[in-house]
């Protein structure tokens, strides 16, 4: 079966739903997914796409929609969560480092929990530090590495890869060059991986 890449950006609210249920979904469907953090804000800025900031009606809908979907999946959340987050790039630079070191997925899940359960915005050093502690990582060392020119460049490179694939938002799943955008497209991505079309 083709690889399924999960392109996500800490800072995306709907990505919370995917992050919280993806492990169970993979186990239920006997499928593996590669987690790929990137900077969605870079791509959205290039498209002059400002999703919810300054749009009260759309923002209210988003939080209610996430609340409904979280209830459907039995995922706890205290909503609304602080939004937007202050340092999206740093959060994703830490996640990318963690992917290379083997703790990136756990860090992402923990940081989303801190954001959506404890209501501490995920781009803050407080939230990132706490998530790193919970992952048994040294925050000072990791944050120094995350802020290094090499890691900044690595996230920029991943973001460029996502853009070249046609990824324009998060969460997105990519299967054989096909992009499936949104938490509600998990099953379509799996169908494409298995049979080459949406069943």
């Amino acid at each position: 079966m083709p690889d399924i890449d999960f392109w996500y950006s800490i800072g995306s609210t709907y990505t919370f739903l995917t992050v919280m249920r993806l492990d169970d979904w993979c186990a239920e469907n006997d499928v593996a997914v590669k987690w790929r953090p990137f900077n969605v804000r870079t791509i959205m800025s290039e498209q002059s796409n400002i999703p919810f900031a300054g749009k009260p009606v759309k923002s209210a809908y988003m939080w209610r929609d996430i609340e409904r979907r979280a209830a459907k999946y039995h995922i706890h959340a205290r909503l609304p969560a602080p939004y937007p987050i202050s340092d999206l790039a740093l959060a994703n630079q830490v996640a990318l480092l963690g992917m290379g070191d083997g703790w990136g997925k756990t860090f992402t899940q923990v940081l989303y929990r801190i954001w959506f359960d404890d209501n501490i915005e995920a781009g803050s050093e407080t939230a990132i530090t706490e998530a790193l502690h919970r992952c048994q990582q040294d925050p000072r060392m990791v944050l120094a590495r995350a802020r290094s020119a090499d890691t900044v460049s690595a996230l920029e490179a991943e973001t460029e890869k996502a853009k070249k694939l046609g990824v324009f938002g998060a969460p997105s799943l990519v299967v054989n060059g096909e992009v499936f955008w949104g938490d509600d497209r998990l099953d379509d991505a799996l169908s494409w991986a298995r049979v080459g079309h949406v069943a």
Side-chain angles (χ1 to χ4, degrees), residues 8-11 19-20 23 35 37 85 87-99 101-115 122-137 139 142-143 146:
Y8 73 93
S9 197
I10 297 167
V19 163
M20 291 298 107
D23 281 349
W35 291 51
I85 72 168
D87 202 339
L88 182 148
L90 179 62
N92 288 288
Q93 283 156 207
V94 173
L96 185 59
L97 272 180
M99 291 302 162
D101 292 348
W103 47 263
K105 182 174 81 166
T106 301
F107 167 79
T108 300
Q109 292 166 328
V110 168
L111 186 58
Y112 264 98
R113 275 283 169 225
I114 290 169
W115 185 15
S124 69
E125 197 158 322
T126 299
I128 293 169
T129 296
E130 177 60 24
L132 287 167
H133 278 306
R134 293 185 195 179
C135 293
Q136 287 79 51
Q137 300 302 311
V142 172
L143 285 167

Side-chain angles (χ1 to χ4, degrees), residues 2-7 164-168 172-181 185 188-193 196-198:
D3 292 335
I4 301 176
D5 283 350
F6 168 46
W7 289 94
K164 285 180 177 172
L165 288 167
V167 172
F168 58 88
S172 289
L173 293 111
V174 178
V175 184
N176 272 353
E178 291 286 332
V179 177
F180 297 87
W181 172 53
R185 294 296 183 262
D188 286 352
L190 177 65
S191 176
W192 196 275
H197 60 84
V198 174

Side-chain angles (χ1 to χ4, degrees), residues 137-153:
Q137 300 302 311
D138 181 336
R140 284 185 308 155
M141 285 181 55
V142 172
L143 285 167
R145 287 177 60 209
R147 290 183 170 116
S148 71
D150 284 350
T151 307
V152 169
S153 295

Side-chain angles (χ1 to χ4, degrees), residues 11-145:
S12 159
T13 53
Y14 278 96
T15 295
F16 163 72
L17 298 168
T18 310
V19 163
M20 291 298 107
R21 69 191 188 100
L22 194 54
D23 281 349
D24 288 343
W25 181 83
C26 286
E28 288 165 12
N29 292 288
D30 192 27
V31 64
V33 170
K34 183 175 181 182
W35 291 51
R36 307 286 299 266
F38 75 108
N39 189 336
V40 73
R41 194 171 282 167
T42 297
I43 294 174
M44 294 177 82
S45 294
E46 289 174 3
Q47 298 173 349
S48 300
N49 182 354
I50 302 168
F52 301 108
K55 299 176 180 178
V57 174
K58 191 173 181 180
S59 291
Y61 172 84
M62 170 192 70
W63 291 121
R64 181 61 183 137
D65 191 41
I66 290 172
E67 184 178 45
R68 289 189 303 246
R69 293 179 65 78
K72 173 184 175 181
Y73 301 134
H74 308 289
I75 299 169
H76 178 267
R78 287 176 54 207
L79 302 174
Y83 180 83
I85 72 168
S86 57
D87 202 339
L88 182 148
L90 179 62
N92 288 288
Q93 283 156 207
V94 173
L96 185 59
L97 272 180
M99 291 302 162
D101 292 348
W103 47 263
K105 182 174 81 166
T106 301
F107 167 79
T108 300
Q109 292 166 328
V110 168
L111 186 58
Y112 264 98
R113 275 283 169 225
I114 290 169
W115 185 15
F116 278 75
D117 278 350
D118 302 338
N119 280 144
I120 303 169
E121 66 100 346
S124 69
E125 197 158 322
T126 299
I128 293 169
T129 296
E130 177 60 24
L132 287 167
H133 278 306
R134 293 185 195 179
C135 293
Q136 287 79 51
Q137 300 302 311
D138 181 336
R140 284 185 308 155
M141 285 181 55
V142 172
L143 285 167
R145 287 177 60 209

